Amino acid sequence: MPADPGTTGVDLDAAVTFGPALAALNAARSVTILCHVQPDADTIGSGLALALVLHRRGIPVWVSFAEPAELPATMRTLPGVRHLVRPVDVPAEVDLLITVDCGSVGRLGALADRLAGARTTLVLDHHRSNTRFGAINVVDASAESTTSLVAGLLDAWQVAIDAEVAHCLYAGLVTDTGSFRWVRPGTHQLAERLLATGIDGAEITRSLMDTHPFDWLPMLSRVLGTARLESAVHGGVGLAYVFVRRGDVAGVRSEEVESVIDIVRTTAEAGVAAVFKESRTIDDRWTVSLRSRDSGPGVRDGVDVSEVATALGGGGHRYAAGYTTHGRLEDVVSALLTVLG
Ligand code: MN
């Protein structure tokens, strides 16, 4: 039964329209869905939800991401993982290529070359810094997750959301909202609607966000021991940051490394938090995660870290962003301090 748009809980930006996207989906005889490198549950959940729907309609569909080689373990129980293929198995030519949760071409990594072999391309995303690199762009920076946007797309397409699709959508919703910390009107309504399909929200959240192997604890001890506070940054807003060295993360999953920023960002004396992560394989390559908040001691209007990350070659959201850079650690830190001012 078609969903009533008035009861979905999906409250989209008025400027977002699904017409061209639906026309492309209805016309497609084959579809590739690309998730971003170092995938999270929002990009994978969005990709697999769409793949489940397309597969049921008899459309050949491939879902992939360029790196790393393996899907993070926490996401392997998501429905639809059978549609995931290795990058080498993504066809060179396809009717429709969809990117999910990717703010720029760079987020596709080595799979960016597949854009050229697609008859048309559709960008589905909620990053403020999105560069609109598709032929069709459905970008809603006010959406709390790309899976929320996919829910709105499925409603507009009049496709019912069953438990398998709901599981995928909920995975992105719960992780991108930080377990429903960063919400807006409609977020809980969408969550309720997904939970009403019978999915186990508590178990999905526990496995995605609240379970770490024991090695997480000594890793945290080493990494948090590097913490520094720069109180004068950005007119007194302050920056708290830590370093994750290659030697700190041997045998630790990417999920554990990505959890560090959620601890650093709770620092009361800093409106901005950063984690400098050393590449496991390439010397002097650093991936930097940034977070900010708009209230708190000494924090007035908050810092738009999307702008900061974009200035340093990355992108993201107003309060959560990141970039990759090269150089000696002290130079990488001072580059960030310079941009923050
Ligand atoms: Mn997202």
Side-chain angles (χ1 to χ4, degrees):
M1 198 175 76
D4 173 358
T7 62
T8 57
V10 178
D11 180 21
L12 294 162
D13 188 310
V16 172
T17 55
F18 290 117
L22 295 179
L25 282 163
N26 282 322
R29 297 209 182 105
S30 59
V31 178
T32 290
I33 304 171
L34 297 183
C35 305
H36 61 70
V37 294
Q38 313 304 328
D40 60 16
D42 192 29
T43 194
I44 296 293
S46 297
L48 296 182
L50 284 170
L52 286 165
V53 169
L54 287 161
H55 177 71
R56 287 174 196 156
R57 294 169 82 96
I59 308 297
V61 59
W62 300 265
V63 186
S64 195
F65 54 89
E67 55 185 276
E70 299 286 336
L71 183 68
T74 51
M75 294 172 224
R76 286 180 202 157
T77 54
L78 286 177
V81 284
R82 64 187 178 279
H83 297 299
L84 272 173
V85 300
R86 297 176 302 163
V88 69
D89 294 325
V90 176
E93 293 182 357
V94 73
D95 248 12
L96 173 63
L97 183 147
I98 308 174
T99 69
V100 283
D101 203 41
C102 300
S104 64
V105 171
R107 298 289 284 157
L108 299 175
L111 281 168
D113 65 356
R114 299 306 199 280
L115 288 167
R119 204 165 54 78
T120 193
T121 54
L122 166 61
V123 167
L124 294 175
D125 188 31
H126 69 133
H127 288 90
R128 191 183 181 86
S129 59
N130 189 285
T131 59
R132 270 87 175 162
F133 58 94
I136 305 163
N137 299 281
V138 180
V139 178
D140 182 0
S142 73
E144 59 278 83
S145 67
T146 296
T147 60
S148 304
L149 197 58
V150 171
L153 178 72
L154 295 179
D155 288 346
W157 206 9
Q158 302 193 340
V159 171
I161 294 175
D162 65 6
E164 282 199 318
V165 173
H167 184 145
C168 294
L169 299 180
Y170 193 88
L173 184 64
V174 71
T175 51
D176 265 32
T177 60
S179 269
F180 301 103
R181 288 188 194 90
W182 309 298
V183 294
R184 62 172 191 160
T187 305
H188 290 94
Q189 209 176 341
L190 175 58
E192 165 58 25
R193 189 177 150 215
L194 299 175
L195 288 167
T197 64
I199 59 171
D200 187 342
E203 172 58 21
I204 293 169
T205 307
R206 192 191 61 74
S207 61
L208 283 173
M209 306 184 74
D210 226 5
T211 307
H212 297 283
F214 177 80
D215 286 347
W216 183 59
L217 299 175
M219 184 274 282
L220 278 183
S221 168
R222 293 189 295 270
V223 167
L224 296 181
T226 70
R228 293 188 200 165
L229 177 66
E230 301 273 357
S231 304
V233 161
H234 204 77
V237 165
L239 171 71
Y241 58 101
V242 303
F243 307 113
V244 181
R245 298 286 200 160
R246 187 178 296 168
D248 297 328
V249 297
V252 177
R253 308 180 305 180
S254 63
E255 292 97 311
E256 277 66 59
V257 178
E258 296 313 311
S259 73
V260 172
I261 188 70
D262 284 323
I263 298 169
V264 181
R265 67 167 177 77
T266 62
T267 305
E269 294 88 345
V272 181
V275 175
F276 296 88
K277 294 167 282 186
E278 185 178 20
S279 166
R280 295 192 196 219
T281 50
I282 302 166
D283 287 343
D284 290 330
R285 180 167 126 158
W286 299 86
T287 303
V288 186
S289 297
L290 299 173
R291 298 290 184 274
S292 71
R293 54 196 159 80
D294 63 356
S295 61
V299 184
R300 285 178 296 276
D301 296 324
V303 175
D304 184 344
V305 288
S306 169
E307 284 181 9
V308 174
T310 301
L312 291 160
H317 307 284
R318 181 178 177 88
Y319 301 117
Y323 61 96
T324 297
T325 188
H326 294 79
R328 296 182 312 151
L329 183 51
E330 51 268 47
D331 296 333
V332 168
V333 172
S334 62
L336 174 61
L337 290 171
T338 301
V339 171
L340 278 170

